[in-house]
Amino acid sequence: MKIKECLSSVGVVYNSKKQILITQRNTEPFYQKWVMPGGKVDQGETPEKAVLREVKEEVGLEGTVGELLAKKEFPLSVSGEIRQYRVYFFEVFLEKEFEIQPNFAEVSDYAWVSRDSYESYDIAPRNKEVLDAIFLKTQ
């Protein structure tokens, strides 16, 4: 069986209170799990451009890309197909405080989380690993 490779970018979006945006997925993979906004890198697109596009598509926010915080690689079965994911997690800083406009085709809810609140959400595994590392640094 051929394994499909998937390249994705995820935005670690900060607000002025240093909280991080998470969204509840309305689609597979990770249906109803909480994740940071992101998605597939399109052909010819850089991971940095992809993360800004995905953040805008999913929650209507615009920002600038900061540092690459993490890179995660893992296999995942999606609709009976094995996919090998390579996911880049980038800081995204909002240029100004925008009102979130969720794309309900992809996102069913959203929340701003801090070190004290994020563990109460059912967060997808690689997203949780990244949040654990970020919030561990801020203790």
Side-chain angles (χ1 to χ4, degrees), residues 3-128:
I3 296 176
K4 181 178 179 179
E5 298 212 3
C6 297
L7 177 61
S8 297
S9 286
V10 172
V12 181
V13 180
Y14 293 91
N15 66 14
S16 60
K17 298 174 188 167
K18 300 292 185 209
Q19 295 169 313
I20 296 174
L21 179 65
I22 60 173
T23 61
Q24 190 172 34
R25 287 192 53 89
N26 219 8
T27 60
E28 291 293 346
F30 305 115
Y31 178 72
Q32 293 298 302
K33 295 269 187 189
W34 290 85
V35 298
M36 291 172 280
K40 189 177 91 158
V41 176
D42 290 338
Q43 183 146 2
E45 187 177 45
T46 65
E48 294 85 351
K49 286 194 184 297
V51 75
L52 294 178
R53 176 184 51 76
E54 286 287 346
V55 167
K56 184 166 182 154
E57 284 177 6
E58 290 185 12
V59 291
L61 298 176
E62 294 182 18
T64 56
V65 175
E67 150 184 9
L68 174 64
L69 297 174
K71 178 180 161 187
K72 301 284 183 179
E73 295 192 36
F74 55 94
L76 186 67
S77 177
V78 179
S79 302
E81 174 183 66
I82 301 293
R83 297 180 185 175
Q84 180 66 32
Y85 280 85
R86 188 169 66 230
V87 183
Y88 295 97
F89 291 82
F90 290 99
E91 290 177 311
V92 174
F93 297 100
L94 300 179
E95 293 169 358
K96 58 183 179 181
E97 293 294 320
F98 292 93
E99 183 177 328
I100 293 178
Q101 300 170 3
N103 173 356
F104 290 112
E106 297 185 36
V107 172
S108 59
D109 202 358
Y110 67 90
W112 291 101
V113 295
S114 64
R115 181 181 59 214
D116 298 329
S117 65
Y118 81 104
E119 290 184 315
S120 66
Y121 293 86
D122 185 15
I123 298 172
R126 291 352 168 269
N127 280 251
K128 175 117 176 18

